[in-house]
Amino acid sequence: ARSLAAAWAVGAVCVTAGDRGAFVARADGEPAYVPATVAHGDPCGAGDRFASTVAVALARGEGLVPAVVAAVASASAWVAAGGAEGYRRRADSPADRTPGAAREHAPDRASGAPTPSGAAQDVPPSDPDGPEAVAARLRAAGGTVVATGGCFDILHAGHVATLEAAARLGDHLVVLLNGDASVRRLKGPQRPVVGQADRARVLAALDCVAAVVVFDEDDPRAALDRLRPDVWAKGGDYTEGTLPEAETVRRHGGRVVVLPYVDGRSTTSILERSGRFAPGVPTLTEETTA
């Protein structure tokens, strides 16, 4: 997508990848990956559904990546509902000639993606051997190593969507997890509400995660310099700017992909709704150590 955008001197290019979803990129900046939400079904008509949804979203003033996110979801729902043949059956059925009938067959967008073939079983909560040993072990098993990172404090649907999307970019997903001291420096003294050992254990229990490595620095560059993943998947808002850690990843031959956030889901918003940040209320970490 980036190469075509540069060669054609256009604002952006989107490359669809069938049941994997779509990649969208400008000539500069990091490409974004939007995973599909259904892997099997009749794809006839999915491309038209994708293109028309993108066109309508852009005409309504949506941003580039949000438009592609909407289009991938629409095409996924179309495939799950039976594609062109499913549409014909619904059109021929008097019972289904009601607005929104096709949407009844749409997949649950929170259901996630299939487990990648390289997902590890029985992994420890946090690998004690360090990034180099983790990379060596996973590469010995064959396939590519994908890494993503973050605090993952109070795991929620947005986190899971990001992790599942990252796992689909390769064979083995390694999570670089901010340690407790790092989270406190980044998020404030009331965070994390869940300690690093428990956060690592929850992440390691996910089928899409092959290994968890805790790091203590404020950003993952040092850990990435040691892990040297084939792909660094970063969840966040799409931006033309280069991520600070991109140079580290590319120096070792890796590539960087941005994973759009799931709207309306964040640890901060969950804590605010629960009243967790009310004055005088201790964090879970404080309660545990008190």
Side-chain angles (χ1 to χ4, degrees):
R2 292 180 67 183
S3 297
L4 289 174
W8 294 341
V10 296
V13 168
C14 179
V15 175
T16 57
D19 60 8
R20 291 181 61 200
F23 293 85
V24 58
R26 299 177 173 90
D28 298 319
E30 314 304 341
Y33 171 55
V34 182
T37 55
V38 63
H40 303 289
D42 179 8
C44 183
D48 295 327
R49 185 68 170 256
F50 179 94
S52 60
T53 302
V54 165
V56 170
L58 292 175
R60 288 174 174 169
E62 292 280 353
L64 176 62
V65 172
V68 174
V69 170
V72 169
S74 180
S76 296
W78 173 264
V79 171
E85 178 60 21
Y87 178 81
R88 186 192 65 78
R89 290 197 304 269
R90 292 191 300 275
D92 290 344
S93 173
D96 283 344
R97 290 176 184 169
T98 57
R103 290 194 295 272
E104 294 177 0
H105 304 281
D108 181 357
R109 293 182 61 185
S111 63
T115 301
S117 60
Q121 305 296 323
D122 301 322
V123 281
S126 177
D127 202 301
D129 297 327
E132 298 93 341
V134 169
R137 170 168 55 82
L138 295 178
R139 287 198 170 94
T144 57
V145 174
V146 180
T148 190
C151 301
F152 297 100
D153 195 11
I154 304 184
L155 195 70
H156 55 70
H159 288 144
V160 173
T162 296
L163 292 168
E164 289 176 330
R168 299 185 72 177
L169 293 169
D171 299 289
H172 312 285
L173 177 62
V174 179
V175 178
L176 299 181
L177 181 68
N178 291 75
D180 290 347
S182 174
V183 176
R184 278 192 292 273
R185 291 193 299 270
L186 294 171
K187 303 289 187 178
Q190 289 186 307
R191 301 284 295 277
V193 296
V194 179
Q196 65 187 43
D198 285 351
R199 287 185 286 126
R201 182 174 294 279
V202 171
L203 288 167
L206 299 177
D207 287 341
C208 61
V209 175
V212 179
V213 175
V214 177
F215 67 94
D216 295 320
E217 297 80 12
D218 290 345
D219 66 61
R221 281 178 287 187
L224 286 168
D225 200 33
R226 298 168 62 192
L227 182 68
R228 302 184 179 186
D230 300 291
V231 181
W232 170 243
K234 179 67 174 178
D237 298 324
Y238 186 70
T239 174
E240 293 186 48
T242 301
L243 298 169
E245 62 270 25
E247 189 277 331
T248 301
V249 174
R250 294 194 181 109
R251 186 170 68 246
H252 299 298
R255 61 190 178 92
V256 179
V257 176
V258 174
L259 304 172
Y261 280 139
V262 176
D263 288 338
R265 294 173 175 87
S266 74
T267 299
T268 300
S269 65
I270 292 172
L271 292 172
E272 289 174 347
R273 288 196 302 272
S274 69
R276 197 63 201 164
F277 282 153
V281 177
T283 65
L284 295 183
T285 303
E286 290 167 346
E287 288 173 350
T288 302
T289 58

